[in-house]
Amino acid sequence: MKKHLSEEVNPMNRSQYLKGVNLHSCVWKIPYVSLYSSTCNFFYQKCKIIILIDSTLVVSFLHIKGFGVEAQHYREIWVETKGGVVLYIIMENFGEPLLHYHENCPGCKVDQAKELKQDVTFRNVFSIWIVVLCSSLPIASLFPYLYFMVKDFNIAKTEEDISYYAGYVGSAYMLGRALTSIFWGMIADRYGRKPVVIIGIISVVIFNTLFGLCTSFWMAVMMRFFLGGLNGLLGPMKAYSSEIFREEYQALGQSTVAAAWGVGLVFGPALGGYFAQPVQKYPNIFRKDSFWDKFPYFLPCFIVSAMALAVAISCIWLPETFHNHKVSTENIEALENGTNETDKNKLIKKNESLLKNWPLMSSIIVYCVFAIHDIAFSEIFSLWTVSPRRMGGLNFRTNDVGNVLAVSGMAIIMFQLGLYQSVQKICGPIVLARIAAVLSIPILQSFPFMTMFSGFTLYISIYSASILKNLFIEIISTGLFILQNKAVDQHQRGVANGICITAMSACKVIGPAAGGAILTWSQKRMDASFLPGPHLVFFVLNVIEGLALLLTFKPFLTERKTPSEQLH
């Protein structure tokens, strides 16, 4: 049984017990230790401390993150690490208080909740969930009916050209977002995450509704462009999800973002499939020659916009992580990192360009390659399934596509919120992403062969492959989200995620346009001897997936270690 230090060393003789020990020679690092007392509200730094494990001196002169600590009241504390080792800490003297918890500062309230371990709440998880879901629903909700919408615009000369024009409508959203994501990241870092979130959700309410009322191809392109340009909340929400939780629960925050994002990209098309062209599907409710017949694609847009309006109202109570008072950036970094850096090193760290931060940039590049694949797959899958059999498709109705994607969305919810965090702790985000990418390749190439099936066999095959493929997409995205937010400190996360969303959106401009064009080309070469019909388009997707998989290995992809990870 372990004995407490006070049993082994008389408290009156501790100075003699430690006499002659060279404290400066100890360089082993551990995470910061949190201390609390209700008597005062201060952050302290450079507390001269001595840490012993089983009475063996291992470290001293650490930065310590704490609040409400008074040296004369706390001469010794102990905490337990994950391995169950007891750390005995003797505190000799505190430095001057660096930060003060401001009573009316929302960021300070969040920090206090984290210190008191009151951050992992249903409210915080649900807030992230509904905001990200609201942002992602309109991105792909049009895919099941986009083929028919473009056909109704009468802009395509042949049936094979419909996918080509559909790609431009899908790309317009990403083009708008690519041009404005860094701007919204800077706004989030300067004025807070919450204003950017509310503006983004309101843009969904307005422009997604107007998209459902479009009667021409170019009107549809412009509405999607404005929707993408003003909906800049994904980057700030990625930063928000890493700030609202303690370090050990940041995987939960990032998996919530990825799960909500993935569910939106899956449930969005499901909504579009169920509610587009309601006069044809539900003639007993929606009459012919009515408003719904004139605007057959308005109902799914209206449903998404109504949900967004409810979320916009609920965001009034969204906790803000932004500090509304002046705080020294260097002190924040020291408190977050738990390291003893010189002022020169801090200044270098503060002014370091994000573009020179290779752990950040490498994770963004890898994510962008995966993003091209993911958005292209989302569009190609919907267009391919509703295409006629003679063109290599499955001849599904939009309802059938909605059913497949709805089931896939439920699988994503259960895995991301129930299993992902546990699996990620075992494998790590990078290894898990690599496994998902490897398994995606054979599944992706199996889709064209499903045209040989019919009835029950077809539905079992398409449901199973869709569930697994969408799960793997979200596993990869979550792992890369975690790496990106670990690569930067809090004061740079808004801009860093803005850079990521800009780069990702630029790549996703390519995805739908290129995917639609390749699908159109593949449907014109059904009789080719090599990769006929849809085999070609799914092979191209696999080439992109394989390239992204190779980039996940060192020396290209590197990971920044957090203070707690430096223990091992």
Side-chain angles (χ1 to χ4, degrees):
M1 177 181 290
K2 291 187 173 100
K3 294 182 179 181
H4 193 277
L5 182 62
S6 60
E7 298 178 12
E8 301 180 13
V9 183
N10 189 311
M12 300 299 295
N13 298 325
R14 284 183 188 166
S15 59
Q16 297 179 4
Y17 176 76
L18 298 170
K19 188 175 181 180
V21 177
N22 185 2
L23 300 179
H24 293 279
S25 65
C26 303
V27 294
W28 188 66
K29 296 180 180 179
I30 67 166
Y32 52 70
V33 181
S34 298
L35 307 171
Y36 172 70
S37 170
S38 60
T39 57
C40 56
N41 293 317
F42 287 105
F43 278 112
Y44 289 94
Q45 183 191 27
K46 292 184 179 178
C47 169
K48 183 179 179 182
I49 62 176
I50 302 166
I51 297 183
L52 301 100
I53 297 182
D54 294 335
S55 304
T56 303
L57 182 67
V58 291
V59 69
S60 66
F61 288 102
L62 287 179
H63 290 278
I64 187 165
K65 179 183 180 182
F67 60 92
V69 180
E70 298 178 3
Q72 63 269 29
H73 294 161
Y74 290 81
R75 300 299 299 178
E76 178 184 329
I77 64 169
W78 62 271
V79 296
E80 289 188 0
T81 65
K82 291 182 179 179
V85 180
V86 179
L87 303 182
Y88 299 103
I89 305 175
I90 303 174
M91 298 162 41
E92 294 190 343
N93 64 311
F94 279 95
E96 295 298 320
L98 295 174
L99 297 176
H100 185 272
Y101 276 140
H102 291 249
E103 183 177 356
N104 297 320
C105 174
C108 288
K109 292 179 181 178
V110 169
D111 288 342
Q112 284 180 318
K114 289 161 68 175
E115 291 291 342
L116 295 172
K117 298 185 178 181
Q118 297 174 352
D119 52 326
V120 183
T121 64
F122 173 80
R123 174 189 174 185
N124 288 342
V125 174
F126 185 69
S127 297
I128 295 171
W129 172 269
I130 61 173
V131 170
V132 177
L133 181 66
C134 173
S135 175
S136 61
L137 278 174
I139 294 177
S141 62
L142 76 164
F143 287 156
Y145 61 81
L146 184 57
Y147 183 92
F148 305 101
M149 190 180 201
V150 173
K151 185 177 180 180
D152 291 346
F153 290 152
N154 296 317
I155 192 171
K157 294 181 180 179
T158 64
E159 190 173 11
E160 290 81 2
D161 292 331
I162 293 176
S163 297
Y164 173 78
Y165 286 99
Y168 285 104
V169 178
S171 296
Y173 176 94
M174 294 299 170
L175 177 61
R177 196 167 71 173
L179 297 177
T180 60
S181 290
I182 293 180
F183 168 77
W184 289 120
M186 294 171 65
I187 295 297
D189 280 344
R190 186 175 181 85
Y191 300 105
R193 320 302 189 202
K194 191 170 178 178
V196 176
V197 168
I198 294 176
I199 292 172
I201 295 175
I202 292 175
S203 73
V204 172
V205 176
I206 297 172
F207 292 102
N208 192 61
T209 302
L210 293 176
F211 178 74
L213 300 174
C214 290
T215 55
S216 69
F217 172 77
W218 289 111
M219 182 180 177
V221 169
M222 292 305 297
M223 291 303 102
R224 294 287 294 179
F225 176 81
F226 286 126
L227 175 59
L230 294 174
N231 185 10
L233 61 82
L234 179 59
M237 283 306 298
K238 286 171 62 181
Y240 181 89
S241 66
S242 66
E243 295 164 358
I244 198 73
F245 297 119
R246 282 166 286 149
E247 181 182 308
E248 59 265 35
Y249 288 102
Q250 286 184 8
L252 172 64
Q254 295 301 314
S255 65
T256 302
V257 172
W261 185 256
V263 168
L265 294 181
V266 173
F267 270 129
L271 285 174
Y274 286 134
F275 296 108
Q277 300 171 317
V279 174
Q280 297 179 19
K281 297 172 185 173
Y282 316 107
N284 295 330
I285 302 175
F286 302 96
R287 297 181 180 180
K288 195 173 182 179
D289 298 326
S290 65
F291 172 85
W292 307 104
D293 193 23
K294 184 177 180 181
F295 300 101
Y297 311 107
F298 176 74
L299 182 58
C301 295
F302 175 74
I303 292 173
V304 172
S305 298
M307 293 172 60
L309 180 61
V311 173
I313 296 173
S314 69
C315 280
I316 296 173
W317 297 277
L318 183 72
E320 174 64 84
T321 59
F322 180 71
H323 290 271
N324 59 13
H325 55 87
K326 292 184 178 181
V327 180
S328 171
T329 304
E330 292 89 345
N331 292 342
I332 292 178
E333 292 173 359
L335 291 170
E336 282 197 343
N337 297 329
T339 57
N340 190 5
E341 299 176 290
T342 64
D343 293 338
K344 181 179 179 181
N345 289 337
K346 291 176 184 176
L347 186 60
I348 293 173
K349 185 175 182 180
K350 176 183 176 182
N351 296 328
E352 182 183 13
S353 171
L354 289 175
L355 299 178
K356 296 179 181 179
N357 184 336
W358 184 244
L360 172 66
M361 298 310 298
S362 61
S363 62
I364 289 177
I365 293 171
V366 175
Y367 181 58
C368 286
V369 179
F370 276 116
I372 294 175
H373 166 275
D374 297 346
I375 193 68
F377 170 77
S378 296
E379 183 186 41
I380 288 170
F381 179 81
S382 296
L383 294 175
W384 169 69
T385 51
V386 300
S387 297
R389 286 273 183 171
R390 62 182 176 81
M391 296 168 59
L394 299 180
N395 200 30
F396 275 13
R397 298 171 300 170
T398 55
N399 280 14
D400 297 325
V401 180
N403 290 334
V404 173
L405 295 176
V407 173
S408 300
M410 292 302 299
I412 291 173
I413 293 174
M414 290 186 289
F415 179 81
Q416 290 288 88
L417 298 183
L419 298 175
Y420 178 81
Q421 191 172 3
S422 300
V423 177
Q424 188 267 148
K425 286 181 179 179
I426 298 173
C427 301
I430 294 300
V431 174
L432 194 57
R434 289 171 187 157
I435 295 172
V438 169
L439 295 177
S440 290
I441 293 174
I443 291 174
L444 194 60
Q445 203 59 48
S446 71
F447 281 109
F449 292 100
M450 294 180 189
T451 56
M452 302 167 61
F453 303 144
S454 61
F456 180 76
T457 305
L458 172 61
Y459 282 99
I460 287 293
S461 302
I462 197 71
Y463 273 84
S464 300
S466 177
I467 289 171
L468 290 174
K469 177 58 184 170
N470 283 290
L471 272 179
F472 293 150
I473 287 174
E474 298 317 310
I475 288 172
I476 294 168
S477 298
T478 305
L480 293 172
F481 282 174
I482 292 173
L483 290 190
Q484 289 160 18
N485 281 282
K486 285 170 61 177
V488 292
D489 296 305
Q490 181 178 8
H491 73 284
Q492 291 182 312
R493 282 185 189 137
V495 176
N497 281 288
I499 293 173
C500 175
I501 300 303
T502 297
M504 178 195 70
S505 300
C507 292
K508 286 190 174 183
V509 170
I510 301 171
I518 296 173
L519 180 61
T520 297
W521 179 38
S522 68
Q523 291 174 340
K524 291 180 179 179
R525 54 189 305 278
M526 294 297 299
D527 298 325
S529 57
F530 179 70
L531 296 175
H535 288 270
L536 174 65
V537 71
F538 286 104
F539 175 77
V540 173
L541 289 176
N542 261 336
V543 170
I544 300 172
E545 181 100 6
L547 174 61
L549 173 61
L550 292 176
L551 294 178
T552 62
F553 291 91
K554 292 181 179 180
F556 188 84
L557 183 63
T558 57
E559 181 179 0
R560 178 191 179 191
K561 297 294 184 182
T562 61
S564 61
E565 291 171 334
Q566 294 175 5
L567 270 169
H568 307 290

